[in-house]
């Protein structure tokens, strides 16, 4: 078996304006600062990955700048001076020696999966255990200035074929907005809401009003570090709670199951520290009959490739936040760009590695800083 022998890690920051600003209960993003990695191994093979940390710590504690520091100062030096038998070993090692910094660790760990797929001449999806050639896609709709605009955007998204519509909500922009959207969509379109931690248990009675709209789920209503209160809230609600920010690994999933804090899990490989813990969460949830879906972080086509591969696994039973490139970007940094037909994205099963080619010229044009570690 080939070994993982990474000789150089290149950190690169690019800036990409979003086609449309994305507002949540906790922040607003107009242009993405994106940290990209290149890992180069002893044979000269190369893998690109994307660190999903954002500009500000309003979704998650890490940011582009803290991830850059963690990668340069601690993670890259540790990985560069060792040989690993497999990506799982990279994860175990990083997990053992560094607390937190999951998004920074994930960027390295995920690239080692791609390197392994390239060594074995298989697609990343097949290496992970793909069972489907197309994955269902939902759209995440940011908070809009008014309900009329929201309803119009939701109609457009539905007409594009999305298999599920998710609305960002916050106190004051919730029940009425959901009622208007449900009315416009009719009863058959799967609809969900995401609160990004904006409520407290004092809002329980208010949130029970959501039960009238047959929502697929209420995503992360309460604080990220509060499984106990989520269990209290879930007892009072018919609508299934889904956890996003609260799940940073298998142990939170186990606690969630014990406490009955939620019935659905959102997996973002960046948030949990990579694809190895994503697979472990996937399997744990499957064993407890808890469906999972793949979340999004407004990724470029590079991050999207990893998410699409992951979403091809059996327990990804609900549509993911896997919008095609054109939803976010004027022009993506991969070719072919990610597209969606009839609400489905095709999993590249038959190309080695990620299944897309990185557009280096485009990346060079967008780059604002580069740092090489280990060259
Ligand atoms: O809570 O799921 C979230 C985007 C950035 C940060 C957090 C979240 C999101 C999304 C997904 O809702 C948007 C997307 O990538 O399509
Ligand atoms: Mg979320």
């Amino acid at each position: 078996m080939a070994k993982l022998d990474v000789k150089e890690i290149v950190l690169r920051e690019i800036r990409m304006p979003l086609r449309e600003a994305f507002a949540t209960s906790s922040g607003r993003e107009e242009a993405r600062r994106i940290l990209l990695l290149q890992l180069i191994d002893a044979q000269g093979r190369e893998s690109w990955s994307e660190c999903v940390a954002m500009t500000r710590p309003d979704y998650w504690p890490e940011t582009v700048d803290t991830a850059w520091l963690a990668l340069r100062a601690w993670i890259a030096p540790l990985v560069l001076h060792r040989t690993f038998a497999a990506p799982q070993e990279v994860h175990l090692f990083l997990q053992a020696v560094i607390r937190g910094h999951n998004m920074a660790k994930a960027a390295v760990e995920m690239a080692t999966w791609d390197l392994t797929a390239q060594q074995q001449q298989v697609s990343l999806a097949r290496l992970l255990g793909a069972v489907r050639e197309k994955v269902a896609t939902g759209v995440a709709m940011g908070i809009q200035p008014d309900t009329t605009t929201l309803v119009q955007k939701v109609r457009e998204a539905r007409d594009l074929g999305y298999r599920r519509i998710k609305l960002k909500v916050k106190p004051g922009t919730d029940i009425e907005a959901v009622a208007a959207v449900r009315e416009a969509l009719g009863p058959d379109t799967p609809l969900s809401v995401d609160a990004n931690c904006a409520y407290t248990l004092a809002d329980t009675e208010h949130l029970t009003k959501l039960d009238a709209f047959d929502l697929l789920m209420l995503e992360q209503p309460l604080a990220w570090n509060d499984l106990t209160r989520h269990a209290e809230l879930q007892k009072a609600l018919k609508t299934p709670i889904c956890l996003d920010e609260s799940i940073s690994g298998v142990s939170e999933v186990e606690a969630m199951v014990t406490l009955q804090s939620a019935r659905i899990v959102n997996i973002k490989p960046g948030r949990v520290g990579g694809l190895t813990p994503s697979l472990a969460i996937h399997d744990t949830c499957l064993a407890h009959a808890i469906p999972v879906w793949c979340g999004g972080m407004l990724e470029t086509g590079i991050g999207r490739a990893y998410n699409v591969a992951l979403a091809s696994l059996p327990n990804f039973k609900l549509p993911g936040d896997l919008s095609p490139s054109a939803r976010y970007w004027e022009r993506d940094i991969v070719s072919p760009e990610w597209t969606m037909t009839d609400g489905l994205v095709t999993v590249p099963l038959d190309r080695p590695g990620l299944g897309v080619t990185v557009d280096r010229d485009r990346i060079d044009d967008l780059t604002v800083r580069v740092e090489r570690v280990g060259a």
Side-chain angles (χ1 to χ4, degrees), residues 166 194 196 219 244:
K166 156 172 143 182
D194 185 359
N196 292 107
E219 186 178 343
D244 174 350

Side-chain angles (χ1 to χ4, degrees), residues 59 140 166 168 194 196 219 244 268 296-298 321 328:
Y59 162 79
K166 156 172 143 182
K168 292 289 184 177
D194 185 359
N196 292 107
E219 186 178 343
D244 174 350
K268 295 178 182 175
M297 291 291 293
L298 312 172
D321 282 337
Y328 312 102

Side-chain angles (χ1 to χ4, degrees), residues 30-324:
E30 296 193 5
R32 291 278 280 112
R33 289 176 63 195
I34 297 161
L35 170 45
L36 297 179
L37 268 66
Q38 275 166 283
L39 267 64
I40 300 146
D41 73 10
Q43 291 77 43
R45 253 185 233 101
E46 171 184 80
S47 171
W48 287 81
S49 66
E50 175 167 351
C51 176
V52 297
M54 306 193 72
T55 304
R56 291 169 298 273
D58 50 24
Y59 162 79
W60 187 254
E62 296 171 85
T63 68
V64 170
D65 296 306
T66 70
W68 190 288
L69 171 68
L71 283 158
R72 182 194 63 208
W74 310 307
I75 297 168
L78 284 169
V79 169
L80 286 166
H81 295 106
R82 274 175 187 75
T83 302
F84 299 93
Q88 290 89 338
E89 223 177 66
V90 176
H91 167 70
L92 283 175
F93 174 69
L94 290 176
Q95 212 55 10
V97 296
I98 295 172
R99 297 287 89 80
H101 298 283
N102 285 3
M103 290 175 175
K105 289 191 277 198
V108 168
E109 191 262 4
M110 291 164 80
T112 65
W113 278 93
D114 174 32
L115 284 174
T116 303
Q118 291 182 44
Q119 282 175 6
Q120 299 182 10
Q121 287 291 300
V122 294
S123 62
L124 175 65
R126 286 203 200 277
L127 182 65
L128 294 174
V131 296
R132 50 185 131 240
E133 39 190 62
K134 288 176 195 297
V135 292
T137 296
V139 69
M141 202 55 74
I143 293 173
Q144 301 297 322
D146 53 71
T147 308
T148 314
T149 313
L150 174 66
V151 167
Q152 187 201 324
K153 294 223 152 131
V154 164
R155 280 208 171 96
E156 285 165 16
R158 195 252 327 258
D159 293 346
L160 284 170
Y162 282 106
R163 300 278 172 124
R164 178 268 287 144
I165 311 270
K166 156 172 143 182
L167 309 180
K168 292 289 184 177
V169 292
K170 63 178 183 187
T173 312
D174 46 19
I175 312 299
E176 254 180 71
V178 174
V181 168
R182 178 48 94 199
E183 168 82 23
L185 290 174
D188 295 334
T189 307
L191 181 63
S192 70
V193 295
D194 185 359
N196 292 107
C197 310
Y199 296 92
T200 71
L201 267 190
D203 299 309
T204 301
E205 205 185 309
H206 178 73
L207 290 171
T208 59
K209 294 180 192 154
L210 291 174
D211 282 341
F213 305 108
D214 191 27
L215 299 178
L216 208 52
M217 69 189 88
L218 162 58
E219 186 178 343
Q220 197 67 45
L222 308 179
W224 65 275
N225 57 352
D226 203 341
L227 292 173
T228 311
R229 286 186 180 81
H230 275 102
E232 279 300 299
L233 180 62
Q234 181 66 90
K235 271 197 213 114
L237 293 181
K238 232 171 49 186
T239 306
I241 291 177
C242 166
L243 294 177
D244 174 350
E245 286 92 321
S246 288
I247 304 295
S248 54
V250 168
S251 55
E252 284 86 8
V253 173
E254 287 169 347
M256 175 199 109
V257 169
T258 303
L259 295 168
Q260 298 187 279
S261 313
R263 300 183 193 142
I264 299 174
V265 168
N266 165 327
I267 301 182
K268 295 178 182 175
R271 193 193 66 226
V272 303
L275 290 167
T276 306
S278 297
L279 296 173
I281 291 169
H282 170 274
D283 295 352
T284 302
C285 286
L286 186 60
H288 292 284
I290 291 171
V292 304
W293 56 282
C294 186
M297 291 291 293
L298 312 172
E299 288 96 343
T300 72
I302 293 176
R304 179 71 71 249
Y306 290 91
N307 288 352
V308 166
L310 181 64
S312 71
L313 271 63
N315 197 31
F316 282 82
K317 299 213 173 88
L318 298 163
D321 282 337
L322 300 166
S323 285

